[in-house]
Amino acid sequence: MLEYFYRRDEQEIFSARAKELSSMESYLLSKRPADIHLSGLRRIGKTILIKEFIKRHISDKNILPVYINLEEISETPEDFALKFVGWHVYWYYAKGSKLPFNFLHLPSLIFEIQDKELRESLIPLTQELEKARPDRQKLLQTCFGFSDLLSRFAGKRVMVFLDEFQEINNLTNFDQTKNILKLLRAAKDRSENVVYCISGSIISEMEHVTRDSQSPLFNQFTHIPIKAYTREETSELSSKFIADIDNRSLGLLHLYSAGNPFYLVHILRKLMLFIDKGEELSEGLVKRSFISETLSPSGMIHSYCNYLYSISLQRAKGYGVLKALLDIIATSEEALTQSELARLLKMSQGAVRVNLKELQNVGLLFEKERKYHYIDSVLRYWVAYVQNGVEVSDFPKEKDLVSIIEEMDKKFQRVSQELGKAREDTIKDLMKRFAGQEIDGAIFGTSRKVKLPGFKKVERYISTDGKTEIDVLAENKVNWAVEIKWKGRAAGIREIEAFNRKASSLSSRLWFVSKAGFTEEARSFALITGIYLSSEKDITALQSLVHKNQ
């Protein structure tokens, strides 16, 4: 079962996402189900998560999953209506086990329907499609209503998974279909045993559909964020390719992939190809694998970045200026403001503002503290090189990449520093919400419960002589000093000792946060000295607990 829909190799590498699967089950399978929106960046793993959910529940006699990629059916309203219904019929009879072509065209769709009652229910749709000028409102009402009709016929809850949901907006360009979201909302409200899960890769458009008060689907979906992998989750997936991977290589894989499962899988596959050619796993080999996969024309990451770059610019207006903006931001040593970009392009700030907004709308850039950044650090790297004529061979030698590796180290060191600064702000915001909550001590590396004190002041500390800096100093009756290391390797005993020396006089409680966790020596020292230790995974858990107990 699911041989066509969810390939065996995909099933074998599916990793992590236990929390997200549990949330989907809670909302979709409960007695009173709720419609959900899987929100996340492109290729972050939303589609494979849906596939895994369907795999785990396809044998449930009480539900009927229906997966539809709207990108494949949103060319015309007529095509959409027929294929929307066809996919429902496909999942009822074939359940993802064979090719769907016969279900997506007439008259072959009719021949695939084995039940007379269900076959006759399609007569209004087929008759409308035979007309020279079909009533598109009627077509859409019929196809959206088919989910409920199928649910009643099958006696099951129909779960409609609509992937690349933002593509439905393409149909608003046709006569009689500008209100397509209203028609979907009306059908959704009339359905008794149908639940929806939508997802899309252009976050700005999905946010508009689900959170804009003027949208017919405003406040209709519970949002489940699909985030980049933590280092622990990167480790889980990487171990399926290389069982005994060392900590340093793992840290580099996490850094270069930015925790994106798609990038990680293809870097690992290239790494395995190098190893199969007789090379040994090393820091240099990880770097070469990333570079060749990203900068070689035959690399999957190269192909994806080329597609993403091209399709995003096609969706936006003003190709030439947008391309120039992306190139400048990709190659700049530091993040740039709107005025700095306008000066470099010799354009007015107003014109640059409009184009920056376009790039934000298509999901390539975001703004923080009035500066503009790539959402995808790998795409930024690809643009900086490939769009300036730099490409490499499939299996380059290390000596041929000396200058590229040197430049890459600088670029990703800056990325790591930027991420560390962002994480410092996150920890500050988190500590401002401490209010006496009692938390499982395991999050802080201790066996005892930890009571989170409220603080009057939470900010970075610099001594008057400028010699001592503390990432976060939280002050009240009990002071907490926090050190944050957001790097790809585990923090060691020397770093913990140095933090203890500089901060113990300022605070009665020391807390060290390390993205990649800690060495055993560091943990032993912290246990003796009473220093709290937390990894990226611990911080994620703490955020959830603090939010829940506010």
Side-chain angles (χ1 to χ4, degrees):
M1 196 174 289
L2 297 178
E3 290 84 355
Y4 164 77
F5 173 66
Y6 191 13
R7 299 193 318 270
R8 180 65 59 185
D9 63 313
E10 287 185 307
Q11 295 180 35
E12 289 173 353
I13 64 172
F14 178 82
S15 302
R17 303 302 191 203
K19 179 182 176 183
E20 291 84 353
L21 282 167
S22 177
S23 295
M24 291 175 71
E25 289 169 349
S26 297
Y27 289 116
L28 298 179
L29 299 176
S30 67
K31 289 183 179 180
R32 295 186 176 181
D35 301 319
I36 61 174
H37 166 212
L38 303 182
S39 174
L41 298 175
R42 293 177 186 269
R43 299 296 177 103
I44 205 67
K46 301 182 293 297
T47 299
I48 198 171
L49 179 63
I50 292 172
K51 291 180 177 182
E52 182 67 21
F53 179 91
I54 291 175
K55 173 195 167 186
R56 296 185 183 197
H57 298 284
I58 191 70
S59 299
D60 189 330
K61 295 180 180 179
N62 298 313
I63 68 169
L64 172 61
V66 175
Y67 173 85
I68 308 173
N69 185 335
L70 296 193
E71 191 171 32
E72 298 174 355
I73 70 170
S74 297
E75 293 184 358
T76 67
E78 292 79 10
D79 190 58
F80 179 91
L82 173 62
K83 291 180 178 177
F84 190 89
V85 170
W87 276 112
H88 279 70
V89 176
Y90 169 81
W91 279 98
Y92 179 68
Y93 287 111
K95 294 182 171 58
S97 62
K98 64 180 184 178
L99 293 173
F101 301 130
N102 287 345
F103 295 86
L104 305 178
H105 303 280
L106 290 175
S108 56
L109 169 60
I110 303 300
F111 298 134
E112 292 290 344
I113 302 176
Q114 301 161 23
D115 299 272
K116 181 181 178 182
E117 180 184 345
L118 195 58
R119 191 161 53 243
E120 289 178 348
S121 71
L122 264 64
I123 291 175
L125 178 73
T126 57
Q127 288 179 340
E128 196 63 42
L129 286 169
E130 288 171 357
K131 294 179 180 179
R133 294 179 62 85
D135 184 331
R136 288 168 171 166
Q137 289 277 299
K138 185 180 291 186
L139 283 176
L140 293 175
Q141 288 169 344
T142 301
C143 79
F144 288 144
F146 192 77
S147 304
D148 186 56
L149 185 152
L150 185 59
S151 172
R152 285 185 275 109
F153 173 79
K156 299 180 178 184
R157 175 179 297 170
V158 171
M159 294 182 178
V160 185
F161 295 88
L162 301 179
D163 207 354
E164 296 300 343
F165 185 79
Q166 75 278 343
E167 299 300 320
I168 201 170
N169 287 323
N170 292 339
L171 298 177
T172 62
N173 296 319
F174 292 84
D175 291 338
Q176 301 181 327
T177 60
K178 298 188 185 303
N179 64 339
I180 189 169
L181 293 182
K182 286 185 179 180
L183 297 176
L184 175 59
R185 169 69 186 273
K188 192 170 83 69
D189 289 347
R190 287 193 299 268
S191 300
E192 292 185 6
N193 201 18
V194 178
V195 64
Y196 291 83
C197 170
I198 63 173
S199 69
S201 57
I202 302 182
I203 292 178
S204 58
E205 292 188 25
M206 292 300 295
E207 290 288 301
H208 177 76
V209 166
T210 59
R211 292 187 170 177
D212 189 304
S213 60
Q214 302 303 309
S215 169
L217 299 181
F218 169 65
N219 213 24
Q220 292 296 300
F221 295 87
T222 298
H223 290 252
I224 298 179
I226 311 301
K227 299 179 180 178
Y229 274 179
T230 63
R231 192 178 186 280
E232 288 79 7
E233 290 167 334
T234 295
S235 175
E236 182 182 336
L237 177 53
S238 299
S239 65
K240 295 184 177 182
F241 290 81
I242 305 173
D244 54 350
I245 189 167
D246 64 278
N247 200 45
R248 177 60 179 164
S249 296
L250 188 62
L252 289 173
L253 285 168
H254 187 62
L255 177 63
Y256 297 148
S257 68
N260 183 305
F262 172 79
Y263 293 145
L264 178 60
V265 164
H266 288 291
I267 298 170
L268 283 163
R269 284 177 174 161
K270 180 54 69 80
L271 188 59
M272 292 302 296
L273 289 174
F274 272 114
I275 291 172
D276 288 345
K277 286 177 173 290
E279 300 209 35
E280 292 187 4
L281 176 63
S282 65
E283 179 180 328
L285 192 61
V286 174
K287 292 177 181 180
R288 284 162 60 202
S289 298
F290 170 74
I291 291 170
S292 61
E293 186 61 25
T294 307
L295 301 187
S296 167
S298 62
M300 287 296 292
I301 294 178
H302 183 290
S303 298
Y304 169 67
C305 287
N306 187 47
Y307 162 79
L308 176 57
Y309 183 79
S310 301
I311 200 72
S312 297
L313 290 181
Q314 285 173 23
R315 295 180 77 100
K317 301 172 183 176
Y319 181 88
V321 176
L322 299 179
K323 189 173 180 297
L325 280 168
L326 288 172
D327 186 51
I328 290 172
I329 295 170
T331 54
S332 173
E333 291 286 324
E334 304 290 341
L336 299 170
T337 65
Q338 176 185 293
S339 60
E340 289 168 335
L341 288 164
R343 188 161 53 251
L344 288 168
L345 286 170
K346 296 180 172 58
M347 294 175 61
S348 70
Q349 285 201 45
V352 169
R353 185 186 308 116
V354 169
N355 285 281
L356 287 170
K357 190 67 177 176
E358 281 288 319
L359 292 171
Q360 289 176 274
N361 287 341
V362 296
L364 293 183
L365 299 182
F366 72 96
E367 180 189 4
K368 183 178 180 182
E369 297 176 355
R370 298 172 60 190
K371 294 186 177 183
Y372 291 86
H373 310 259
Y374 272 77
I375 288 174
D376 186 332
S377 60
V378 176
L379 178 65
R380 176 188 178 185
Y381 179 82
W382 180 87
V383 171
Y385 283 92
V386 174
Q387 291 303 307
N388 287 284
V390 179
E391 292 183 326
V392 302
S393 63
D394 282 354
F395 296 95
K397 301 292 184 183
E398 190 160 358
K399 63 183 178 62
D400 298 326
L401 299 179
V402 172
S403 61
I404 292 179
I405 289 176
E406 184 178 329
E407 183 63 26
M408 182 178 75
D409 288 342
K410 292 178 183 178
K411 284 182 180 295
F412 279 92
Q413 184 178 21
R414 287 196 297 272
V415 169
S416 184
Q417 289 168 347
E418 288 171 8
L419 289 173
K421 178 64 171 65
R423 188 54 58 175
E424 184 180 308
D425 294 337
T426 299
I427 297 295
K428 286 179 188 175
D429 293 339
L430 178 61
M431 295 183 76
K432 287 174 183 176
R433 302 206 306 270
F434 285 8
Q437 302 98 326
E438 283 203 349
I439 301 295
D440 182 0
I443 287 175
F444 294 96
T446 179
S447 58
R448 295 173 297 177
K449 288 273 187 181
V450 173
K451 188 171 184 178
L452 305 178
F455 298 111
K456 293 182 177 178
K457 186 178 179 182
V458 180
E459 59 184 29
R460 186 175 183 84
Y461 171 83
I462 302 176
S463 62
T464 52
D465 61 6
K467 293 182 178 180
T468 302
E469 290 189 31
I470 305 292
D471 290 335
V472 182
L473 183 63
E475 300 177 76
N476 202 346
K477 294 178 182 178
V478 177
N479 291 352
W480 281 36
V482 188
E483 183 86 349
I484 302 164
K485 295 295 182 187
W486 217 249
K487 297 180 178 179
R489 60 178 179 80
I493 187 171
R494 290 185 180 179
E495 292 163 296
I496 310 296
E497 287 175 333
F499 176 49
N500 187 45
R501 285 194 298 271
K502 75 176 180 179
S504 56
S505 62
L506 295 169
S507 175
S508 55
R509 172 60 63 196
L510 304 187
W511 181 23
F512 201 112
V513 178
S514 169
K515 173 185 174 68
F518 303 87
T519 64
E520 285 304 316
E521 279 187 315
R523 289 188 179 279
S524 297
F525 178 79
L527 194 61
I528 294 169
T529 55
I531 297 174
Y532 286 165
L533 302 180
S534 298
S535 65
E536 180 182 20
K537 186 177 180 180
D538 296 325
I539 294 301
T540 300
L542 182 60
Q543 287 174 310
S544 178
L545 289 170
V546 168
H547 178 73
K548 186 184 299 183
N549 294 320
Q550 272 193 308

